[in-house]
Amino acid sequence: ATRERRAVSASNSTLRGAFSRISRMLSGSKEEELDINRVYTVRDVVRNEDGLPDIVFTSIESLGSQGLSIARDATACFIHASTSPSNYYRFCYGLDNGCNMDRGGFGQASDGTNFACVFDGVTAGGKINAYAAQAFTEHTISWLACHHARFRQGSDGNNQLAQAVLSAATHAHNNPLQHSPDYQAEGGSATGVLAVVQPRSREHGVLHGASIGDAAVIVVHVDEGVARQLNHVRARDPKDTGGQLTMCMGVHGDVWTFSEAVSATALIVLTTDGFTDNVFMPELGSIVPLIMRARVFDDVPITRCANVRGAGARLPSLADLTELVGDSLVPLVRVNTATAALRLSNYLTWVTRHMHTAEEEYYGLCRRQRAVCVELRDRAARAAMTAERTMASFARGAAPSPPGHDRMPPLASTSAAAVNSCIGSSGSSRSSESTAEPAAAAAPAPTAAAA
């Protein structure tokens, strides 16, 4: 009887606790006990009969750029592109298909809320940072799909909420290594930004979000034709990201939160420093709307502004861009999200084209030099082996082996220190990050090597 009374008491206590939690959830109490500190995945997203919330994000299976994705109603999109030279990733990391360390995606909820995030893997480290940025993306998008309504205008809890979401993204359980040993992300770092646009009426909505590091959120007010960056980057020097997330190690730096009323026609841009580093920031408020309006950026322009991206170059000013676009402008109200994203992407390709070409040639030369170094190393090793065999034959009183007899096969690997010392003479500032290529790789013809 005593055991039965204890069992009933425990059962009642469990029920009271459950009802208490439900009551707090329904009342929106600050004591809400939803577990925001755990890692969220796509499996946690419960969709209705219309398939909402609908989420789209980059795939971990591809390290390269994955192009343009557009929402069902075209009110959200994501463009995944890169201006980094492919030879850089071939030379430094042995990745033939490139590696876009920016990762992100967007989603739409049944109540009309749009949400998105972008994470930028920091440069050093290669694919480990791309996998970390991908893991941060998948957790954040899944969390927003489940709990986007928890962001509230003017709420002091938004900062704590953002801190918890980003901190959970770095948890060891979020390391994609558990899905495949190829996806190791421990120690991988990324900056990032997330945003939620909650509708309040047909004309207005509220933008909430958070950022860490040098990622940016830019609001383009269509009615006024101006843009404004909402977050600030607290960087100590140009090489400082201003903060970042690190897989299995937590949040490093300040998390910046924002909350602002926006019109239904506003365009919100989430981007990494790949964009803000290539825009003349003092005139960003006018340049971004101009690029979005310019039909010349429906493709990459052939025309090149004077003094733009070369030796002693500068970024194009508003006057430079106004001269370039001419009368190709359309009203900003006619620009949808996909068109805006495409034009911003083409602007980046255009403004970095000279630098991209120069770096592509430079790292191509580095790869050819490394191939020559490997070939010379193999030749020296074969010559030394032949000399040792010849001396051993004379010591035994036997005839030496004829030239070319029993040649040593090419070595399967090479010394990174030797390769780096050879490459270092070319002036590469990133040669220390290189990885050795197999010696069996075909070496260029002698004339090409001399060139």
Side-chain angles (χ1 to χ4, degrees), residues 353-367:
R353 180 166 53 193
H354 179 81
M355 182 171 59
H356 173 90
T357 302
E359 289 192 351
E360 187 75 15
E361 294 174 354
Y362 170 74
Y363 286 108
L365 175 62
C366 290
R367 293 181 67 224

Side-chain angles (χ1 to χ4, degrees), residues 207 217-221 226-230 262 266-269:
L207 168 65
V217 55
I218 302 169
V219 178
V220 181
H221 298 284
V226 296
R228 185 165 65 92
Q229 182 175 342
L230 295 186
V262 293
L267 294 169
I268 293 96
V269 181

Side-chain angles (χ1 to χ4, degrees), residues 201-381:
S201 67
R202 294 179 61 88
E203 294 79 23
H204 297 92
V206 181
L207 168 65
H208 305 288
S211 68
I212 183 169
D214 51 17
V217 55
I218 302 169
V219 178
V220 181
H221 298 284
V222 173
D223 299 336
E224 304 170 16
V226 296
R228 185 165 65 92
Q229 182 175 342
L230 295 186
N231 65 317
H232 295 271
V233 180
R234 298 185 178 96
R236 293 167 295 182
D237 56 70
K239 295 183 179 180
D240 183 13
T241 63
Q244 60 194 36
L245 309 180
T246 303
M247 180 62 74
C248 305
M249 299 180 186
V251 179
H252 306 285
D254 297 329
V255 175
W256 182 277
T257 55
F258 48 88
S259 182
E260 182 167 313
V262 293
S263 69
T265 59
L267 294 169
I268 293 96
V269 181
L270 307 184
T271 183
T272 65
D273 65 334
F275 179 73
T276 53
D277 285 350
N278 290 287
V279 174
F280 187 51
M281 292 301 288
E283 297 181 332
L284 177 138
S286 299
I287 287 177
V288 171
L290 180 70
I291 295 171
M292 290 181 171
R293 295 178 58 198
R295 287 177 296 182
V296 69
F297 286 116
D298 287 339
D299 202 347
V300 180
I302 299 175
T303 306
R304 180 168 174 263
C305 284
N307 300 323
V308 176
R309 282 302 191 197
R314 61 178 175 80
L315 290 167
S317 65
L318 179 62
D320 294 325
L321 292 172
T322 301
E323 178 184 353
L324 171 71
V325 303
D327 58 357
S328 69
L329 299 177
V330 298
L332 196 55
V333 71
R334 291 171 51 190
V335 178
N336 59 28
T337 54
T339 300
L342 180 65
R343 288 174 179 172
L344 292 174
S345 179
N346 287 336
Y347 163 81
L348 283 177
T349 302
W350 170 75
V351 80
T352 60
R353 180 166 53 193
H354 179 81
M355 182 171 59
H356 173 90
T357 302
E359 289 192 351
E360 187 75 15
E361 294 174 354
Y362 170 74
Y363 286 108
L365 175 62
C366 290
R367 293 181 67 224
R368 292 192 293 274
Q369 286 181 332
R370 181 161 63 188
V372 171
C373 289
V374 170
E375 177 63 19
L376 291 176
R377 191 282 319 271
D378 287 348
R379 289 180 184 178

Side-chain angles (χ1 to χ4, degrees), residues 367-431:
R367 293 181 67 224
R368 292 192 293 274
Q369 286 181 332
R370 181 161 63 188
V372 171
C373 289
V374 170
E375 177 63 19
L376 291 176
R377 191 282 319 271
D378 287 348
R379 289 180 184 178
R382 286 195 290 269
M385 180 66 72
T386 301
E388 289 178 1
R389 290 178 177 175
T390 300
M391 294 185 66
S393 298
F394 277 121
R396 292 194 302 269
S401 300
H405 180 68
D406 290 337
R407 284 185 176 178
M408 188 185 79
L411 301 179
S413 60
T414 185
S415 167
V419 170
N420 287 335
S421 64
C422 295
I423 297 301
S425 62
S426 67
S428 170
S429 62
R430 294 191 246 194
S431 61

Side-chain angles (χ1 to χ4, degrees), residues 54-85:
D54 183 28
I55 57 177
V56 177
F57 50 79
T58 47
S59 171
I60 196 173
E61 297 177 358
S62 173
L63 287 173
S65 298
Q66 299 173 28
L68 177 67
S69 300
I70 306 174
R72 300 179 186 182
D73 60 1
T75 61
C77 76
F78 179 79
I79 190 163
H80 194 229
S82 174
T83 59
S84 297

